[in-house]
């Protein structure tokens, strides 16, 4: 069918629920995100002859720190739309809606954050962490980041020890019971759920990015909330 796109979702882990989708992004879309990351790189604010305290933290984080809004271009909009299709939710939930649009939510803003672009250079990465945190007991909606989607924007060497791989140290599948390793490939998307079906945080969803040993790693990340963003 004209205009259709068939993608295969592969189960990587059942605990936590992790899926990978090859060729989710085209080369054109990847190049566009990389170009946008240069334009909207907030970490450039810390650049200068005298490193600030904030810029010193970059060593164990990421060099590029850019947030790309959905409405910034038709290409970014298409990525959000495709992501909603993958999640099997209405694409309008991932954008701001006007007051005349029907919605089951009590708010008209997006339940997705801006797309975050990171660049990791040698010596950079992060230790295991969770993308969800317990919501305040005072918040009756109990909002949280229920899903994380990662978009890999360049290829990383498959050999272990070279760094740059995404790890789920507590994950299990039919082949491994001591963690799962994801090898970044340009255009690949990675979907994992931070919450269990009952709404509790899935402690097994902790993930890390191995510290880069050589070259660089480019990563896009989209956080989707349920039931509203907080």
């Amino acid at each position: 069918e004209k205009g259709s796109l068939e993608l295969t979702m592969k189960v990587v882990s059942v605990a936590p629920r992790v899926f990978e989708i090859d060729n989710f992004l085209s080369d054109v879309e990847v190049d566009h995100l990389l170009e946008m990351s240069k334009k909207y790189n907030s970490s450039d604010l810390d650049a200068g002859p005298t490193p600030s305290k904030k810029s010193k933290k970059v060593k164990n984080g990421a060099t590029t720190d850019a947030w790309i809004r959905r409405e910034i271009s038709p290409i970014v909009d298409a990525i959000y739309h495709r992501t909603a299709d993958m999640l099997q939710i209405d694409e309008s939930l991932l954008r701001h809606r006007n007051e005349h649009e029907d919605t089951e939510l009590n708010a008209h803003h997006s339940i997705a954050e801006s797309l975050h672009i990171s660049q990791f250079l040698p010596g950079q990465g992060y230790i295991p962490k969770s993308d969800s945190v317990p919501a305040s007991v005072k918040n009756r909606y109990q909002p949280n980041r229920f899903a994380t989607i990662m978009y890999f924007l360049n290829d990383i060497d498959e050999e272990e020890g070279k760094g740059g791989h995404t790890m789920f140290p507590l994950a299990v599948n039919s082949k491994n019971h001591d963690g799962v390793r994801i090898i970044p490939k340009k255009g690949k998307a990675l979907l994992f759920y931070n919450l269990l079906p009952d709404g509790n945080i899935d402690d097994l969803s902790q993930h890390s990015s191995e510290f880069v040993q050589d070259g660089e790693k480019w990563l896009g990340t989209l956080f989707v909330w349920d039931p509203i963003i907080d």
Side-chain angles (χ1 to χ4, degrees):
E1 183 181 347
K2 184 178 180 180
S4 65
L5 176 65
E6 291 188 6
L7 297 170
T8 300
M9 179 180 289
K10 176 184 176 182
V11 178
V12 176
S13 167
V14 295
R17 293 173 292 164
V18 183
F19 309 86
E20 62 180 8
I21 308 93
D22 285 332
N23 303 311
F24 188 84
L25 300 180
S26 67
D27 288 345
V28 171
E29 290 170 328
V30 169
D31 292 342
H32 181 72
L33 291 180
L34 293 176
E35 184 63 31
M36 290 297 98
S37 72
K38 297 175 183 178
K39 184 176 182 180
Y40 296 99
N41 181 16
S42 61
S43 64
D44 284 344
L45 299 176
D46 296 313
T50 303
S52 66
K53 291 183 179 180
K54 184 176 181 180
S55 64
K56 290 180 181 178
K57 295 180 181 180
V58 157
K59 180 178 180 181
N60 293 326
T63 297
T64 296
D65 182 30
W67 295 88
I68 313 299
R69 299 189 308 275
R70 174 175 179 171
E71 62 270 18
I72 216 163
S73 76
I75 292 179
V76 178
D77 178 74
I79 294 172
Y80 271 77
H81 201 301
R82 192 179 311 132
T83 299
D85 289 342
M86 176 178 64
L87 293 171
Q88 297 186 333
I89 61 177
D90 192 323
E91 64 83 20
S92 69
L93 295 175
L94 303 190
R95 60 175 170 82
H96 293 282
R97 301 171 300 284
N98 64 53
E99 59 184 5
H100 302 295
E101 289 186 88
D102 292 330
T103 175
E104 296 179 356
L105 301 180
N106 292 329
H108 291 279
H109 54 264
S110 171
I111 63 170
E113 299 181 30
S114 295
L115 179 56
H116 186 227
I117 307 295
S118 305
Q119 177 196 24
F120 299 92
L121 296 176
Q124 296 177 347
Y126 57 85
I127 60 177
K129 66 182 182 70
S130 173
D131 288 338
S132 292
V133 294
S136 170
V137 295
K138 297 180 180 180
N139 192 324
R140 63 174 176 158
Y141 294 109
Q142 291 294 291
N144 217 324
R145 289 170 166 172
F146 89 95
T148 298
I149 302 92
M150 292 182 175
Y151 310 94
F152 297 113
L153 307 180
N154 69 317
D155 294 327
I156 298 294
D157 196 316
E158 296 185 11
E159 184 180 345
E160 291 188 30
K162 293 293 184 69
H165 296 173
T166 295
M167 301 290 299
F168 291 86
L170 304 178
V172 296
N173 59 23
S174 61
K175 297 181 179 179
N176 298 295
H177 292 78
D178 56 354
V180 171
R181 176 187 305 272
I182 307 297
I183 300 173
K185 182 180 178 182
K186 183 179 180 181
K188 177 194 288 187
L190 184 72
L191 163 66
F192 59 94
Y193 290 93
N194 306 301
L195 302 183
L196 296 167
D198 64 5
N200 286 305
I201 294 175
D202 188 350
D203 293 329
L204 300 182
S205 67
Q206 292 186 38
H207 56 93
S208 65
S209 180
E210 291 182 325
F211 289 81
V212 175
Q213 302 301 316
D214 184 37
E216 60 183 357
K217 174 183 180 179
W218 283 93
L219 177 69
T221 309
L222 184 66
F223 302 109
V224 182
W225 288 69
D226 180 59
I228 62 173
I229 200 167
D230 184 24

